[in-house]
Amino acid sequence: MPHILANGINQHYVTMGPVGDPDAPLAVLIHGVLIDSLASYYFTLGTPFAEAGVGTLMYDLRGHGKTDKPDTGYTMTDYAADLIALLDTLDITRRVYLIGNSFGGSVGLYAAARYPDRVAGVVMVDA
């Protein structure tokens, strides 16, 4: 599973489905806090979304999973900037759907408010 330097940290991510197809919707799946990681989506929604023709991007938030765990930078502003930097670094310029579970829903909502031109919609699950 790949890592990419975005917003000054190495971010761990996985893509499934037609991520490179500009005509396909793209869902960014944002996990919850503490012991959660992209694995919660990898083993649940990732494959069904991809099989339905939805490009899917899953990533570990800073301080989680295989993404860097810096000493600072744990504000909503940082999490939203990480997400946008990840999209930019992966050359994803179209608007995306953010699907966030628990804390990930809050990250998605904040990112949508801060970067409305980058977000097509937000789904919050138990946020």
Side-chain angles (χ1 to χ4, degrees):
M1 294 184 189
H3 285 82
I4 196 164
L5 183 63
N7 200 31
I9 62 171
N10 282 302
Q11 295 190 45
H12 175 237
Y13 72 97
V14 174
T15 60
M16 295 178 144
V19 173
D21 180 354
D23 295 325
L26 178 60
V28 179
L29 308 180
I30 309 169
H31 66 78
V33 75
L34 297 178
I35 62 169
D36 209 356
S37 70
L38 71 80
S40 62
Y41 284 120
Y42 185 81
F43 293 108
T44 58
L45 295 179
T47 299
F49 275 27
E51 289 173 349
V54 176
T56 306
L57 168 62
M58 298 160 277
Y59 72 106
D60 287 333
L61 294 169
R62 69 171 50 222
H64 294 80
K66 296 180 180 176
T67 289
D68 284 350
K69 297 162 181 62
D71 292 336
T72 62
Y74 293 92
T75 67
M76 280 296 177
T77 302
D78 296 310
Y79 285 114
D82 289 346
L83 169 59
I84 298 304
L86 178 62
L87 295 174
D88 289 346
T89 305
L90 293 173
D91 200 28
I92 296 171
T93 58
R94 68 186 185 275
R95 293 174 63 164
V96 299
Y97 294 91
L98 303 178
I99 301 173
N101 177 55
S102 189
F103 179 73
S106 297
V107 172
L109 185 62
Y110 186 89
R114 189 161 177 101
Y115 304 97
D117 59 320
R118 302 298 299 271
V119 179
V122 178
V123 175
M124 300 170 64
V125 181
D126 288 332

